[in-house]
């Protein structure tokens, strides 16, 4: 009704191709960072791995692609508990930010606040399952802005001191904010519904995780530089 049949088939192929690239890159990054974690024992890699898995589940559910990689029973399960997985998407991103920016080593107070926030998210994610779905959604979308405010604040505090080695992570947030802004505008019919705008958040997360991976590589390089400097110059 809305488009010609040939054009519709083209859209289907493009959507599947886009999602296929997204899944492939996520899986490769997940395996690579899982191996890196066992080499360096840095918690930031576990947080990143959790974020990759959460992003895959959440975007597969919200974009309707879950049926392409999961059984019907698992699709129903993921869709039923979609908001539950949304909590762990922001939880793992919060933990990644804390560990990536070294707040566990340089600022005990902010680190404790971040961990308290994380524990609260876990508790709320389970407690909210007892509520009607509409209340679950309202609870989550009420908490989400508080999360973004907190994370952006702690990123800004490190912006001047560590921009050079953390620049890729700062850039990754620009993609996430742009994608996160476009998606509701599409739902409200303010922005035209196209293949790109419909998948704006998926594309944004894809760009974000790529820059997060670059940021981890830069961080590892900086850690090695600091280690050699300590060995060479420390009294």
């Amino acid at each position: 009704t809305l488009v010609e049949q040939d054009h519709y088939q083209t859209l289907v192929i493009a959507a599947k191709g886009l999602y296929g690239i997204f899944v492939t890159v996520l899986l490769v990054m997940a395996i690579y960072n899982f191996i890196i974690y066992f080499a360096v024992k840095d918690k930031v890699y576990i947080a990143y791995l959790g974020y990759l898995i959460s992003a895959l589940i959440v975007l597969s559910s919200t974009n309707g692609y879950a049926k392409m990689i999961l059984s019907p029973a698992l699709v129903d399960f993921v869709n039923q508990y979609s908001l539950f997985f949304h909590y762990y998407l922001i939880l793992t991103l919060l933990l990644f930010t804390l560990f990536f920016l070294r707040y566990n080593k340089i600022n005990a107070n902010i680190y404790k606040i971040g961990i308290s926030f994380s524990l609260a998210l876990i508790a709320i994610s389970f407690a909210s399952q007892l509520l009607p779905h509409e209340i679950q959604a309202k609870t989550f979308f009420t908490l989400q802005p508080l999360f973004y405010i907190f994370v952006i604040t702690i990123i800004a505090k490190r912006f001047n001191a560590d921009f050079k080695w953390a620049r890729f992570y700062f850039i990754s947030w620009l993609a996430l904010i742009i994608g996160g802004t476009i998606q509701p505008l599409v739902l409200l019919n303010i922005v035209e519904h196209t293949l790109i705008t419909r998948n704006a958040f998926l594309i944004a997360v894809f760009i974000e995780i790529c820059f997060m991976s670059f940021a981890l590589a830069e961080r590892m390089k900086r850690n090695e530089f600091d280690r050699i400097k300590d060995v060479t110059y420390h009294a």
Side-chain angles (χ1 to χ4, degrees):
T1 303
L2 299 176
V3 296
E4 295 292 331
Q5 183 175 352
D6 291 343
H7 180 53
Y8 177 75
Q9 293 302 326
T10 302
L11 288 174
V12 171
I13 293 170
K16 288 182 177 180
L18 181 65
Y19 182 66
I21 293 170
F22 177 75
V23 172
T24 302
V25 171
L26 254 68
L27 290 176
V28 170
M29 287 186 174
I31 293 170
Y32 174 73
N33 283 278
F34 187 67
I35 295 170
I36 292 293
Y37 169 74
F38 282 100
V40 299
K41 302 298 183 187
D42 192 334
K43 294 177 183 177
V44 70
Y45 292 97
I46 290 297
Y48 183 58
L49 185 62
Y51 183 68
L52 292 176
I53 295 171
S54 300
L56 177 60
I57 295 173
V58 167
L59 289 167
S60 296
S61 173
T62 55
N63 284 41
Y65 293 133
K67 63 182 181 181
M68 294 172 60
I69 58 173
L70 301 176
S71 67
L74 281 176
V75 170
D76 291 340
F77 176 81
V78 168
N79 289 339
Q80 183 180 354
Y81 295 101
S82 177
L83 281 171
F84 182 81
F85 292 110
H86 275 72
Y87 278 103
Y88 289 89
L89 182 67
I90 64 175
L91 169 66
T92 50
L93 184 56
L94 171 58
L95 292 175
F96 178 87
T97 304
L98 290 171
F99 291 127
F100 179 80
L101 297 177
R102 300 176 177 176
Y103 276 108
N104 55 319
K105 295 180 180 179
I106 65 170
N107 193 318
N109 290 330
I110 289 180
Y111 178 69
K112 288 178 181 177
I113 293 171
I115 294 301
S116 298
F117 198 169
S118 301
L119 294 174
L121 285 172
I122 294 172
I124 295 170
S125 70
F126 281 98
S128 67
Q129 300 306 308
L130 303 174
L131 303 173
H133 195 271
E134 182 181 352
I135 304 300
Q136 289 183 40
K138 288 181 178 179
T139 303
F140 175 79
F141 288 112
T142 300
L143 290 172
Q144 193 177 33
L146 299 177
F147 158 77
Y148 282 116
I149 290 170
F150 177 72
V151 171
I152 290 173
T153 300
I154 65 175
I155 289 174
K157 285 180 68 67
R158 298 284 282 159
F159 188 85
N160 292 328
D162 291 305
F163 177 74
K164 185 175 180 180
W165 69 272
R167 62 188 184 276
F168 287 122
Y169 187 50
F170 299 132
I171 294 170
S172 74
W173 268 85
L174 296 177
L176 186 65
I177 291 170
I178 293 170
T181 303
I182 292 174
Q183 190 169 37
L185 294 178
V186 174
L187 295 174
L188 294 171
N189 207 31
I190 297 172
V191 173
E192 184 181 357
H193 184 287
T194 66
L195 176 70
I196 299 301
T197 58
R198 181 185 182 276
N199 292 281
F201 192 63
L202 183 147
I203 295 170
V205 172
F206 175 79
I207 294 171
E208 180 204 21
I209 62 174
C210 289
F211 276 108
M212 286 168 73
S213 187
F214 294 150
L216 284 171
E218 194 77 11
R219 184 177 182 275
M220 184 183 292
K221 180 180 177 182
R222 173 63 179 267
N223 287 346
E224 182 67 11
F225 174 81
D226 290 345
R227 188 184 68 82
I228 293 173
K229 185 177 179 181
D230 285 343
V231 169
T232 309
Y233 294 106
H234 198 284

